[in-house]
Amino acid sequence: MKTVKGTRDLLPEDTAIFQAIEQRAFAHFAKYGFHEIRTPIFEQTQLFARGIGEGTDIVNKEMYTFEDRGGRSVTLRPEMTAAVCRAVAQHNLVQGDDPVRLLYTGPTFRYERPQAGRYRQFYQLGAEVFGSDDPLIDAETIEALITFLEPFELPNLTLVLNSVGDHTDRPRYLAYLRATLADRVDQLCGDCKVRIDKNVLRVLDCKNPTCQAQMTDLETIDAFWSDENRQHFEAVKQALDGYGIQYTLNPRLVRGLDYYTKTAFELLSGDLGAQSAVMGGGRYDGLVKMVGGPNVPGFGWAVGLDRLVSIIAKYQNIQPSRPDLFFVYGERSWLDADLPFIRDLRRAGLSVAYDSRCGSFKSQFKRADKYGAAFVAVIGEAEQDAQTIQLKNMATGEQTTVARAGLVAHIREASHA
Ligand code: HAM
């Protein structure tokens, strides 16, 4: 049996990087006041259909939707923002005007055509801020993301920024698009013909080159921005400039989900090929209300972890953890007698391994090498008699005899030397 198409096992060399990202995320975003939220992996279908938008590819073609045994239509989450908004509404998390900051990570599901960097089960790490439409929230939440990525030292990343307007100005832009594209309908693909009526913004996303050719001379949304939205966007850019964050403007960036208002952005990587978006996000001021909550503004983003991990693997050497200490025994009975000692070493914080077959010293050393142990503790006849340990530092080759009681301190000291 094999994994289902579009899914994969994450093996230790992958999960080591996932863990490094997740550990850094919880420590880093705590500094900004983010706390973790975990929502269910499946929700009522209506939540995503309404939240993400009936005319989007996600809702039309990509959701894993099924009826449960009780006849309810449920959907494996294709993203988490709508679910987090549902939770904010359900638990009344935003009270007064204090922003609430939530962080999440977990699997998401979209029935897309699998290719490099595109899976049917993939992982997102996301951050959402509720309760404020201050442009500073947009800038700070983007800044938190950029500084989060800093230690991974990834080149070739570009932050692309736009404002997609809102109910005060977008309808005029949509009307313009509909009118202009109606004259060119014969040149558009079948999908886009439907999109003109159903969700005209999505025409701009179409990858079909013939459709793209029809877009080149279209006005972009910045020509339609209301004064208020223009000012909001200016303030976001100014705050990003203040942080020293570089970005490119792309007035054609519309994102694939319908809930965005004002700021929308993506981080693109030159290392990912066709699926170049490492993450995406933006403001979604009407979404909490749309899913049944109060009129609470929101801003956030989600990183595609599978893609981020593949880039990090290219530039950083993050490996599964290795044992601090590997025991090599002359006889199995000495290992048996040492089990409480080994337990205590682990209690003291060391990662300890051994080969229970206790074969030749050579074969045990070979295994210690394979595991990448930092130190090898050899218990030969002399050491067993004297209850000492012959300790070999595998990095330097240095060997010393140490007392059992001093072993942990010795390894700690040598590791930090
Ligand atoms: P999204 O752009 O649909 O936004 O997804 C975010 C990221 O998830 C993408 O940039 C990409 O890295 C990754 N991703 C999407 N689909 C796949 C796939 N099939 N395989 C691998 N990776 C994938 C959202 O989901 C929004 N909820 C982001 C957001 C949060 N906006 C506001 N708050």
Side-chain angles (χ1 to χ4, degrees):
M1 299 276 262
K2 297 260 172 72
T3 46
V4 173
K5 186 174 177 186
T7 70
R8 62 187 179 137
D9 297 313
L10 298 173
L11 302 177
E13 72 240 34
D14 307 307
T15 54
I17 306 179
F18 272 83
Q19 281 178 20
I21 295 172
E22 284 163 5
Q23 278 162 16
R24 169 154 174 77
F26 287 112
H28 176 77
F29 292 109
K31 292 184 266 181
Y32 293 78
F34 283 91
H35 294 111
E36 191 191 3
I37 183 162
R38 298 188 194 191
T39 60
I41 278 179
F42 58 91
E43 300 263 357
Q44 290 181 42
T45 301
Q46 266 306 305
L47 172 68
F48 299 117
R50 232 190 285 161
I52 298 170
E54 304 271 4
T56 60
D57 279 356
I58 298 181
V59 172
N60 283 339
K61 306 184 193 165
E62 298 170 2
M63 295 209 301
Y64 278 91
T65 297
F66 57 96
E67 221 172 71
D68 72 7
R69 286 169 192 274
R72 301 170 198 90
S73 178
V74 295
T75 294
L76 299 185
R77 60 186 183 199
E79 62 107 44
M80 295 200 236
T81 309
V84 175
C85 287
R86 195 262 314 128
V88 164
Q90 185 172 338
H91 305 286
N92 206 9
L93 293 185
V94 179
Q95 277 145 18
D97 50 10
D98 251 358
V100 171
R101 293 177 168 85
L102 300 169
L103 188 71
Y104 54 77
T105 177
T108 33
F109 307 85
R110 293 183 194 173
Y111 192 82
E112 292 190 84
R113 200 167 45 77
Q115 62 180 74
R118 194 155 77 190
Y119 304 96
R120 290 181 173 171
Q121 172 170 340
F122 58 100
Y123 294 81
Q124 286 192 342
L125 166 74
E128 314 286 358
V129 185
F130 296 92
S132 170
D133 59 4
D134 192 325
L136 198 60
I137 294 284
D138 308 35
E140 189 188 72
T141 311
I142 295 176
E143 183 265 343
L145 169 77
I146 301 295
T147 49
F148 165 66
L149 294 174
E150 251 166 28
F152 298 112
E153 298 181 7
L154 306 175
N156 311 324
L157 292 180
T158 315
L159 176 64
V160 184
L161 210 59
N162 190 22
S163 170
V164 294
D166 61 11
H167 66 281
T168 62
D169 47 13
R170 195 159 46 201
R172 283 192 299 122
Y173 180 53
L174 300 185
Y176 158 78
L177 284 181
R178 265 185 228 112
T180 318
L181 291 170
D183 292 341
R184 307 177 184 184
V185 72
D186 295 342
Q187 274 75 259
L188 299 178
C189 73
D191 278 352
C192 282
K193 287 191 173 103
V194 179
R195 286 173 183 142
I196 291 186
D197 289 328
K198 226 173 158 192
N199 196 338
V200 68
L201 261 193
R202 299 277 78 82
V203 177
L204 303 182
D205 282 340
C206 185
K207 303 283 182 291
N208 187 320
T210 346
C211 294
Q212 277 304 324
Q214 296 305 314
M215 313 298 163
T216 47
D217 64 336
L218 291 182
E219 295 257 29
T220 46
I221 194 160
D222 48 331
F224 295 79
W225 285 338
S226 67
D227 287 346
E228 201 183 323
N229 287 346
R230 187 179 296 275
Q231 276 163 21
H232 189 277
F233 195 50
E234 281 306 316
V236 174
K237 287 192 291 174
Q238 229 171 54
L240 287 175
D241 292 340
Y243 278 125
I245 291 173
Q246 293 184 350
Y247 52 84
T248 345
L249 300 176
N250 179 0
R252 291 183 189 277
L253 178 79
V254 288
R255 309 270 302 122
L257 306 95
D258 279 353
Y259 48 63
Y260 291 108
T261 55
K262 301 181 189 170
T263 317
F265 67 105
E266 283 181 351
L267 198 59
L268 306 182
S269 164
D271 291 311
L272 283 175
Q275 301 306 313
S276 62
V278 191
M279 57 82 54
R283 182 161 279 288
Y284 47 87
D285 288 345
L287 187 55
V288 177
K289 189 163 179 214
M290 192 187 289
V291 302
N295 195 9
V296 166
F299 181 90
W301 47 253
V303 173
L305 283 181
D306 308 76
R307 295 183 190 173
L308 180 61
V309 164
S310 77
I311 308 173
I312 290 179
K314 198 164 163 190
Y315 295 102
Q316 299 288 334
N317 184 19
I318 299 175
Q319 299 291 337
S321 63
R322 292 149 186 265
D324 300 307
L325 185 62
F326 191 100
F327 275 95
V328 167
Y329 284 97
E331 285 195 22
R332 164 68 189 246
S333 61
W334 303 344
L335 163 64
D336 291 338
D338 262 358
L339 291 177
F341 175 55
I342 291 173
R343 175 199 61 203
D344 290 346
L345 293 175
R346 289 184 176 134
R347 271 190 187 141
L350 294 185
S351 154
V352 184
Y354 52 78
D355 179 351
S356 65
R357 291 166 298 186
C358 299
S360 67
F361 276 7
K362 194 173 160 206
S363 72
Q364 293 183 70
F365 260 99
K366 224 168 145 183
R367 182 157 282 221
D369 251 350
K370 190 176 146 206
Y371 282 9
F375 291 86
V376 172
V378 184
I379 318 273
E381 193 110 36
E383 288 81 16
Q384 181 64 13
D385 285 349
Q387 282 296 291
T388 56
I389 283 162
Q390 181 73 233
L391 191 68
K392 181 170 181 188
N393 182 329
M394 298 297 275
T396 63
E398 194 186 327
Q399 296 205 42
T400 34
T401 303
V402 295
R404 288 181 163 235
L407 182 61
V408 174
H410 188 97
I411 288 180
R412 290 252 159 79
E413 220 167 87
S415 310
H416 292 115

